Amino acid sequence: MRPDAAAEEASLFGHAPVAPDATAAYGEHPDQVVDFHLPRDPSGPAPLVVLFHGGAWRAPYDRHHLSPFAAHLAEGGFAVALPEYRRGAAEPGGEHSPGHRAGRWPETFDDIAAVVDRAPRLVRESGLGGVADVDRVVLAGHSAGGHAALWAAARHRLPPHARWHLAAPPPLRGVVALAPIADLSAARALRVCSDAVDELLGDRLAARLPLADPAALLPTGVPTVLVQGGTDVDVPPQVADSFAAAGAVAGQPPRVVRIAAVGHFPLIDPATAAARTVTGEIARLTA
């Protein structure tokens, strides 16, 4: 790891987790919960940002490391839903035991779909309807969470037989994906996050890849922004570039915001200018 990257990571993980204002369950599994971070003095219902954390779909990385950034967005006037979702592996034992292997098929995708579908109801049932505007929803996410946001916005492009298929585009203002694992084929070629994509898709990779890859589900018709650090060594810029190229071919080129001399973690570090750039991109979609 280059010295700057180590310092960027230390800065992010040096922030203490921020307790949410409310928590709601969207399923029975302990990981099927959503934390809400709310603006302090809203003049009316604030745009709702459903914010997915990253961590290569591996269990040791949970939503708490993203809570300072969720609180930062709340301070900026957004209502933020920060979901947990099932990660790790279903089978115990060995090097690829839960906590090491990337993701579960199909549970990881089940949870991403469920939390987006149920977010408006969770807002209402939690008594947050006066604070969060469920008619102005943006999906956002970092790294593997960026993949989640892009994929959730593309479910109407899945074949009708797919378990996560939607008949129509989801009612979103847009997607802001931060250093996303946006193109799974490109990420596989670069062996991103120690072959996390191969682990996520498992032994039926060829059949699952078209259902899981946001770049294969374009165009979505949903406004899409990618924010990418130019010196990211965890999810290199080539992954975002490959998604952008696929979007151009499909007739829906995304907006790409490249931040020079910035790596993987400053995009979600409240202490950085890069995080303020992200906030601005979300605000642009919800204006």
Side-chain angles (χ1 to χ4, degrees), residues 19-91:
D21 296 294
T23 299
Y26 65 91
E28 296 182 356
H29 191 277
D31 283 338
Q32 292 176 314
V33 295
V34 180
D35 289 340
F36 290 98
H37 294 262
L38 305 173
R40 291 289 168 255
D41 299 303
S43 57
L48 177 64
V49 180
V50 180
L51 177 66
F52 289 95
H53 74 82
W57 305 285
R58 294 190 169 106
Y61 306 100
D62 62 21
R63 69 193 185 282
H64 298 299
H65 78 270
L66 201 54
S67 63
F69 182 66
H72 169 76
L73 290 177
E75 291 171 2
F78 300 99
V80 182
L82 177 59
E84 195 53 86
Y85 51 92
R86 283 172 285 183
R87 307 163 319 286
E91 69 275 7

Side-chain angles (χ1 to χ4, degrees), residues 131-154:
V131 181
D133 185 350
V134 297
D135 292 321
R136 288 190 293 162
V137 178
V138 168
L139 303 185
H142 177 247
S143 195
H147 165 271
L150 292 167
W151 178 83

Side-chain angles (χ1 to χ4, degrees), residues 80-110:
V80 182
L82 177 59
E84 195 53 86
Y85 51 92
R86 283 172 285 183
R87 307 163 319 286
E91 69 275 7
E95 177 184 357
H96 297 306
S97 61
H100 298 280
R101 189 174 177 85
R104 300 185 186 190
W105 184 280
E107 292 92 342
T108 298
F109 292 86
D110 287 345

Side-chain angles (χ1 to χ4, degrees), residues 158-182:
L158 290 168
H161 64 79
R163 63 193 286 152
W164 310 290
H165 172 75
L166 290 178
L172 302 171
R173 288 295 183 93
V175 176
V176 180
L178 318 174
I181 305 179

